[in-house]
Amino acid sequence: MERHQQGMQLLRVVIRRIRSKLQLVLTILRYGSLLFGADESGLTVFQAPPYPQAPPPPPQQFYGAPTNYGQPALPSPGYTPGQMAPGDAGQEAEALYRAMKGFGTDERTLIRILSKRDPLQMALLVNTFGHRYGKSLQSWVESETSGYFRDTLVALIRGPLAQDVYNAHRALKGLGTKEGLLNDVVLSRSNADLNAIKQEFQRVHRRPLEQEVREDLSLKTERLFDMVLAARRAEESAPVLPQQVERDVTDVYQATEARVGADQLTVCSIFASRSDGQLRAIAHTYEQRYRKPLDRVIEKLTQRNANKKEFSGHMEDSLLMMLRGATDRAMRDAVLLEATMRGMGTKDDMLLNRIVRCHWSRDHMNQVKGAYRHHFQRELASRIQGETRGDFEKVLLACIE
């Protein structure tokens, strides 16, 4: 009798475990559909937008990760000071020297060489030129060129890290904050890249970037940028946990549409701390549950009461940039490029900085061009040709090729 009771108890334990495993499998299948779809074999595959995409990241693990933050990512190419490509850039350095020495400048050679280097190749070229000719490549180019053409070449020569530090300083100095420039530098960055920017800013300007931002911004927008600059986002290797996604969606809804007067800090905290993969899942689940795209919710809250905006203009732009960068980075960047050329007069400074930033990753640049073509029904190159002239036009076109 006792053995029979023990056997029944063991059987009940086994049944409970089997039931738990089945529930786990169903949950994974349910939330896997947020980011993946099924092919003819029934296996899950990445669903790409209808324009060229970079290879998808490794499949995300839903359960079993040691923490919610994931393994730290390495800095992007060009965000490790002193890192250079292997090899010899002597031939390119000599060609640049010949293009600028004597009377007149060979702009075609400058464009051909400087627009085609990746960040590490550019660092090697700059180092080689300085050692060989005893003068920095940047100062030489600055003395031989002018206008936005010069600014584009110098942005290329600086490389992504130094250009971000330069732009962050420009965004914060003088009267008023250049909000778009600051957003481009700080938002939607990996922890590793953001920490590199902060360290280099401190080295160059002898002041913490966080302090500069805090003195320029105010109220809850300042709090948002405090959260972002803490560089404590979940890494892209972190799991997309269904329970956390459900909680975040509920919290965002309770902080926005479910109340009169938005709880901005709750939304800011979620957006600033989640990885792109997690934000994609939040946006998808929100739309599935409430039948409204989350970015439209942020926009409508700003428009709902014209006399008392629930998200300030800068905060709204920042949240939308973070959210759209997570859901479709290529499309977001394509729309940001169009914004520099739309309306009366081209915002040449913003245009060249956004083109140079995209061009550092050839795969991403190709995605942006495809997204631009898909959304605006024309080629990015033809749009640039209609808005710029001369060598400035030529260098921008070379950067997107």
Side-chain angles (χ1 to χ4, degrees):
M1 186 67 177
E2 184 178 351
R3 288 185 178 179
H4 176 72
Q5 290 177 343
Q6 291 175 346
M8 292 299 294
Q9 185 177 2
L10 179 60
L11 180 59
R12 284 194 292 270
V13 171
V14 171
I15 291 173
R16 280 199 299 270
R17 289 182 177 177
I18 292 174
R19 185 179 300 159
S20 175
K21 294 293 185 183
L22 286 173
Q23 289 174 344
L24 176 61
V25 170
L26 289 173
T27 301
I28 292 174
L29 290 174
R30 177 187 173 194
Y31 285 91
S33 67
L34 300 182
L35 302 176
F36 299 88
D39 64 9
E40 295 177 353
S41 67
L43 297 174
T44 56
V45 295
F46 180 75
Q47 293 180 325
Y51 42 84
Q53 294 289 295
Q60 290 178 323
Q61 178 185 351
F62 290 100
Y63 295 95
T67 72
N68 286 348
Y69 290 95
Q71 294 299 314
L74 295 174
S76 301
Y79 284 85
T80 301
Q83 188 178 28
M84 295 182 291
D88 178 17
Q91 185 175 350
E92 291 85 356
E94 182 178 356
L96 291 173
Y97 173 75
R98 291 180 180 277
M100 292 184 286
K101 76 170 186 175
F103 182 77
T105 303
D106 180 358
E107 289 85 357
R108 291 181 61 184
T109 296
L110 297 183
I111 294 171
R112 176 178 59 82
I113 295 175
L114 295 177
S115 67
K116 302 306 179 186
R117 308 297 107 182
D118 68 29
L120 302 187
Q121 291 169 341
M122 183 63 75
L124 175 64
L125 176 57
V126 168
N127 183 70
T128 302
F129 190 97
H131 278 89
R132 179 169 292 193
Y133 300 107
K135 185 178 180 180
S136 75
L137 177 58
Q138 178 178 328
S139 62
W140 202 311
V141 167
E142 286 174 334
S143 67
E144 295 292 326
T145 58
S146 62
Y148 291 117
F149 175 56
R150 174 199 60 208
D151 294 345
T152 307
L153 294 180
V154 171
L156 293 166
I157 291 167
R158 284 194 183 107
L161 176 57
Q163 185 67 10
D164 279 342
V165 170
Y166 172 76
N167 282 333
H169 180 65
R170 284 201 304 142
L172 298 167
K173 75 175 182 178
L175 291 175
T177 306
K178 300 177 181 67
E179 295 170 358
L181 199 58
L182 180 63
N183 289 357
D184 283 358
V185 172
V186 170
L187 300 179
S188 298
R189 309 304 291 262
S190 70
N191 294 332
D193 288 358
L194 193 51
N195 281 323
I197 292 168
K198 292 194 298 180
Q199 291 167 11
E200 186 67 5
F201 190 96
Q202 171 77 46
R203 187 190 71 80
V204 173
H205 299 291
R206 307 299 182 188
R207 293 195 74 195
L209 177 58
E210 301 95 313
Q211 182 178 342
E212 294 272 348
V213 170
R214 201 172 294 124
E215 291 174 359
D216 246 53
L217 303 182
S218 60
L219 303 176
K220 293 177 182 177
T221 305
E222 176 193 334
R223 293 285 301 279
L224 169 61
F225 276 78
D226 272 343
M227 297 174 192
V228 170
L229 286 167
R232 297 195 189 106
R233 294 182 72 196
E235 298 286 347
E236 292 308 314
S237 59
V240 178
L241 297 171
Q243 300 93 329
Q244 184 185 63
V245 171
E246 293 286 356
R247 284 196 304 270
D248 286 344
V249 167
T250 299
D251 289 346
V252 169
Y253 178 75
Q254 293 294 333
T256 54
E257 294 189 284
R259 57 182 287 164
V260 176
D263 177 4
Q264 299 104 320
L265 290 182
T266 293
V267 180
C268 292
S269 177
I270 291 171
F271 278 38
S273 60
R274 302 297 182 254
S275 69
D276 284 350
Q278 291 167 348
L279 280 177
R280 277 195 299 274
I282 290 167
H284 182 93
T285 304
Y286 193 100
E287 184 170 0
Q288 291 290 310
R289 189 193 293 183
Y290 300 112
R291 305 301 177 190
K292 294 179 183 178
L294 184 52
D295 59 343
R296 296 291 182 260
V297 171
I298 302 296
E299 289 177 330
K300 286 181 178 178
L301 283 170
T302 302
Q303 299 164 1
R304 192 162 71 184
N305 186 341
N307 296 322
K308 184 181 178 182
K309 290 187 175 184
E310 301 188 44
F311 290 103
S312 70
H314 189 193
M315 180 182 286
E316 178 196 0
D317 291 344
S318 301
L319 293 173
L320 291 174
M321 185 171 183
M322 296 161 71
L323 180 61
R324 290 169 176 166
T327 55
D328 191 340
R329 186 175 295 264
M331 183 61 75
R332 181 204 66 182
D333 289 351
V335 171
L336 287 174
L337 285 173
E338 172 62 21
T340 67
M341 297 179 279
R342 188 172 57 237
M344 293 292 293
T346 302
K347 303 175 184 67
D348 295 300
D349 181 70
M350 291 294 287
L351 174 61
L352 76 88
N353 273 289
R354 286 173 176 172
I355 289 288
V356 169
R357 180 174 290 109
C358 290
H359 118 288
W360 290 122
S361 168
R362 303 313 304 176
D363 287 338
H364 182 62
M365 187 75 254
N366 288 332
Q367 292 176 57
V368 170
K369 290 192 293 183
Y372 190 94
R373 183 186 312 115
H374 178 77
H375 189 71
F376 297 106
Q377 299 299 301
R378 67 180 299 181
E379 296 295 332
L380 177 59
S382 69
R383 186 73 166 105
I384 292 172
Q385 287 172 326
E387 295 294 326
T388 58
R389 295 291 182 272
D391 291 325
F392 180 46
E393 172 194 339
K394 292 174 185 177
V395 71
L396 292 185
L397 292 176
C399 284
I400 71 172
E401 287 176 357

